[in-house]
Amino acid sequence: MSPRRGAEAAEGVLHMAYGGDSDHDGGVRWGVAEADADGVVIREVRDCVGAAPQATRVPVPYRLDDGRVGVAALWPVVWRSDDQPYWRYVHNGWSTERPGTFPPALDPACPSPELPYEVRIYSVPDGVLGEDHGGGAPSWWTRAWCDRLDNAVLLADTAVAHRLSVPERPAGGDCGDLRAEIWQHATAEPWSRPVRVHGADAHPDRPTVPRLPPGHWPEGRPASVDPTPEPRWFTNAEHPPTCDLRVWTPGGDWMTLGWIVGGRAQAGITARLLCVGTGGPFTFADTWGPHEPDDSNYNWTEQGRELLDWHPEEPYVDGAAHYDEVRRREAADLVAALVERSGGTLTAEQVTARLAAGGREYRDFLRVGQVCVLDVLREKRLAAEVGSEERIRMRGALDALENHHRVDDWVIELTMTHLATNPRDAHYTENARRWRRRATQEYLAPSKDTAGVPGLAT
């Protein structure tokens, strides 16, 4: 063993030549691998950019499956971090200690006693970090947590069966999701070591994921049903995977395939790799996630679950028709609500004509009045105890207001009292307060009087 700090590797000796603070950048460390008489020396550098001249390649011997030794020409930059603590070549993700294999991963804590199966993916970026791009490095990621082994195996196998796109890396070599593994966790003891129960490697010649032809969409999509309740998370679970991917099974029912790590976008990628609607085992799928009704106010309090996406995505023509139908329904709800709240002074025809005459200026004014009511309900809801009947009542009033413009009498009374007495509104000028009150009045109790109403006042 060299007197320099090092660790004996399976295929030789790995030496570390430290050139500075190894804990900079939150534990991310870069190095340049150099051949040594009895192994490899890693000379640490500050950054991957400029660590070696472009097009530099070093010979890296590795063991083939039949026992022979091959030699690969690799970009010499290597990488590790606190979360990915084993050195690897950024060129192809190989371990520096055992070239030809991928480095191991740290085992994450299981988030729920109901989800023992972890789908783990090893991904190599499309490009050589530090030479032709500055993005991510080869890393292990948890793709999903599943309650059943067969579902986890399906997610793992499909993750490496196709590419998302054609590689563009000038250096050549394979990239993307190169290995998928299933690890079974002992849910009774969440910090015990898991056991590897399945693995699948990507074929270098795997095809890109198929896409629907333009204007085509599978017919007969079933209606989405009530969401799957979230699993019981461990109390110490940090950022549990709250998005689930539900598929329409050949048996004619909806099934949660897995709880996807990475949120809505990653669930969409998982659905594409499953070839939902494009020849895969499922024709339709849904992504469900937490309903966070106050996220516009930077409040992430969860209130139930909501449908986030359909898979496959609607074609543009169908999506546009669906959007137009939603807009027509919203317009009809607004007309009906204003007629009802006018107390008989306005008819549906008069309200429709009023909206047409006032145009965008009048609709924006009505929106201001609606927002004033929303602010009152949100403030009261967040002040109520979580899970209380009062909080649920406020949530129901918010949904009715946002989705259908419906406002009960008690909400009107609450809003008017708030506007008259709330000290938080004191920072508005008198003209601004008068304008807000007029907008709220026009939204909650429209009449034939249009004085002070933008778009209608003469």
Side-chain angles (χ1 to χ4, degrees):
M1 175 73 70
S2 167
R4 290 171 292 180
R5 297 170 64 182
E8 188 169 351
E11 298 295 331
V13 177
L14 175 66
H15 299 303
M16 298 304 305
Y18 288 88
D21 182 9
S22 62
D23 294 326
H24 65 277
D25 295 334
V28 174
R29 294 162 61 178
W30 305 97
V32 175
E34 301 172 349
D36 187 73
D38 54 354
V40 173
V41 171
I42 294 179
R43 174 174 52 85
E44 288 203 46
V45 294
R46 281 289 179 182
D47 196 352
C48 61
V49 178
Q54 280 195 326
T56 299
R57 295 294 182 267
V58 296
V60 178
Y62 64 99
R63 185 77 61 183
L64 299 169
D65 292 339
D66 59 7
R68 294 181 298 168
V69 175
V71 178
L74 302 183
W75 171 249
V77 175
V78 295
W79 173 89
R80 62 162 289 178
S81 71
D82 288 345
D83 293 333
Q84 309 273 341
Y86 300 98
W87 288 102
R88 68 210 62 192
Y89 290 96
V90 300
H91 190 131
N92 63 358
W94 280 1
S95 166
T96 55
E97 296 188 26
R98 297 188 61 192
T101 66
F102 297 137
L106 294 181
D107 299 319
C110 180
S112 169
E114 302 171 23
L115 303 173
Y117 298 104
E118 175 204 357
V119 182
R120 192 180 298 179
I121 305 293
Y122 193 68
S123 181
V124 174
D126 186 359
V128 178
L129 188 61
E131 183 179 49
D132 57 39
H133 86 116
S139 301
W140 284 102
W141 305 99
T142 298
R143 174 66 55 81
W145 293 90
C146 301
D147 61 345
R148 289 167 39 182
L149 177 59
D150 58 338
N151 289 345
V153 169
L154 180 60
L155 289 175
D157 290 348
T158 54
V160 296
H162 292 86
R163 301 181 187 274
L164 286 173
S165 60
V166 177
E168 299 179 357
R169 51 165 37 203
D174 205 358
C175 60
D177 293 342
L178 300 186
R179 174 168 295 171
E181 298 179 344
I182 307 297
W183 290 78
Q184 182 176 3
H185 292 248
T187 54
E189 300 175 358
W191 292 105
S192 62
R193 292 293 302 275
V195 178
R196 184 179 183 271
V197 294
H198 179 75
D201 287 329
H203 193 281
D205 298 326
R206 63 195 181 281
T208 56
V209 67
R211 296 178 180 272
L212 285 173
H216 289 72
W217 203 46
E219 297 181 354
R221 179 181 176 86
S224 300
V225 296
D226 291 340
T228 303
E230 288 188 21
R232 177 169 56 89
W233 307 115
F234 285 119
T235 55
N236 59 352
E238 295 184 2
H239 311 296
T242 53
C243 280
D244 67 303
L245 184 66
R246 303 178 71 188
V247 295
W248 181 251
T249 67
D253 56 3
W254 289 101
M255 175 186 69
T256 291
L257 197 62
W259 293 81
I260 310 301
V261 177
R264 179 179 185 175
Q266 192 60 57
I269 292 174
T270 303
R272 287 181 57 195
L273 292 170
L274 279 165
C275 299
V276 173
T278 56
F282 310 109
T283 308
F284 303 103
D286 288 344
T287 296
W288 288 78
H291 179 47
E292 296 165 337
D294 298 307
D295 57 357
S296 60
N297 287 339
Y298 303 97
N299 183 291
W300 313 111
T301 302
E302 186 176 331
Q303 185 79 32
R305 299 184 62 74
E306 64 179 339
L307 178 62
L308 300 179
D309 290 307
W310 284 351
H311 308 289
E313 295 181 359
E314 287 182 298
Y316 175 79
V317 174
D318 297 270
H322 179 73
Y323 177 76
D324 289 343
E325 176 58 31
V326 171
R327 292 295 300 270
R328 284 193 293 270
R329 187 171 64 248
E330 289 176 348
D333 287 343
L334 177 59
V335 169
L338 293 177
V339 169
E340 180 182 355
R341 292 201 290 270
S342 73
T345 61
L346 297 174
T347 66
E349 291 75 15
Q350 289 173 319
V351 171
T352 302
R354 198 164 177 155
L355 289 167
R360 171 56 61 188
E361 192 175 13
Y362 179 55
R363 290 178 179 274
D364 288 345
F365 192 63
L366 290 173
R367 176 59 179 165
V368 171
Q370 184 187 32
V371 168
C372 289
V373 184
L374 287 170
D375 286 345
V376 175
L377 292 174
R378 283 174 178 154
E379 182 177 314
K380 294 295 183 181
R381 173 180 172 270
L382 295 177
E385 184 179 351
V386 175
S388 65
E389 292 185 5
E390 179 68 5
R391 196 179 183 99
I392 295 173
R393 184 171 76 121
M394 293 297 169
R395 178 70 263 156
L398 278 165
D399 289 340
L401 176 60
E402 290 184 292
N403 299 332
H404 303 289
H405 295 280
R406 291 202 304 265
V407 182
D408 292 334
D409 291 341
W410 66 269
V411 175
I412 296 176
E413 181 179 351
L414 182 68
T415 302
M416 302 314 294
T417 301
H418 175 91
L419 290 177
T421 61
N422 187 17
R424 194 187 67 174
D425 293 345
H427 67 282
Y428 290 115
T429 65
E430 181 57 35
N431 286 337
R433 286 196 293 270
R434 187 182 304 112
W435 186 71
R436 277 164 53 87
R437 285 195 297 268
R438 186 66 182 93
T440 306
Q441 179 187 12
E442 179 66 19
Y443 184 74
L444 294 179
S447 66
K448 294 183 178 181
D449 180 13
T450 59
V453 177
L456 298 180
T458 57

